[in-house]
Amino acid sequence: MNIPRFDKRIISYLIDLIIPSILSLLTYFLLKHSFQILDYLTFFLWVEFFAMVYFLLINSLFAYLFNGNTIGNLFTKTKMVSIDGKRLTLKQVLLKYLPLSLWPTVIINAFYMLYVHTESTIYDTLSNSIVIIK
């Protein structure tokens, strides 16, 4: 199994962020009159909250239903599999995407990958999975 380079992983992640980010902005603008949000910090926090929820739901479901592929994985021609090469379980998908939906863990993970010089992430270790090139 070939493991993709760090740059492919970043590109895949950024692509996976696009749809949840757009949906979170749309949700905010549809609901902003209900919340009567007045300041930019509150705006940012609501948009971030919706983005995290959408990121978790969309990518987890997509990865589980489409055999380890997210939209970003399809674009970069990569795929997530269990350590033994089998399909990911729902538990593995959630263990991977729950912490991945939180910004602080993403930053910590990026530094970890650069410091340790590895193509594997903390999320891969947590979920007993790897990302491979198709």
Side-chain angles (χ1 to χ4, degrees):
M1 290 187 275
N2 292 333
I3 297 175
R5 291 180 37 95
F6 181 71
D7 55 343
K8 273 194 172 197
R9 303 281 307 258
I10 295 294
I11 291 168
S12 179
Y13 175 72
L14 292 175
I15 291 169
D16 288 341
L17 276 177
I18 291 171
I19 293 173
S21 297
I22 291 169
L23 287 175
S24 70
L25 285 170
L26 288 173
T27 302
Y28 166 75
F29 285 116
L30 289 173
L31 299 175
K32 76 177 183 178
H33 297 293
S34 301
F35 295 119
Q36 296 180 352
I37 296 173
L38 302 174
D39 60 45
Y40 290 110
L41 177 61
T42 308
F43 166 80
F44 173 78
L45 292 175
W46 275 109
V47 170
E48 180 61 26
F49 170 76
F50 288 126
M52 287 182 343
V53 170
Y54 287 135
F55 181 84
L56 176 63
L57 292 176
I58 291 169
N59 290 307
S60 294
L61 287 174
F62 208 89
Y64 183 70
L65 295 175
F66 294 99
N67 197 23
N69 289 301
T70 63
I71 296 168
N73 289 131
L74 292 172
F75 182 79
T76 58
K77 297 181 178 153
T78 58
K79 171 182 177 170
M80 296 175 287
V81 294
S82 186
I83 291 288
D84 58 8
K86 294 181 181 176
R87 181 185 177 144
L88 293 176
T89 64
L90 183 58
K91 179 183 174 183
Q92 287 175 300
V93 170
L94 291 174
L95 280 172
K96 185 174 190 93
Y97 279 102
L98 188 59
L100 190 56
S101 65
L102 305 171
W103 276 99
T105 64
V106 173
I107 294 166
I108 292 167
N109 183 64
F111 283 115
Y112 167 79
M113 288 179 74
L114 291 171
Y115 180 75
V116 178
H117 302 290
T118 182
E119 306 302 332
S120 183
T121 67
I122 294 170
Y123 316 114
D124 295 336
T125 304
L126 280 173
S127 64
N128 257 351
S129 66
I130 57 172
V131 176
I132 60 170
I133 298 173
K134 292 189 217 179

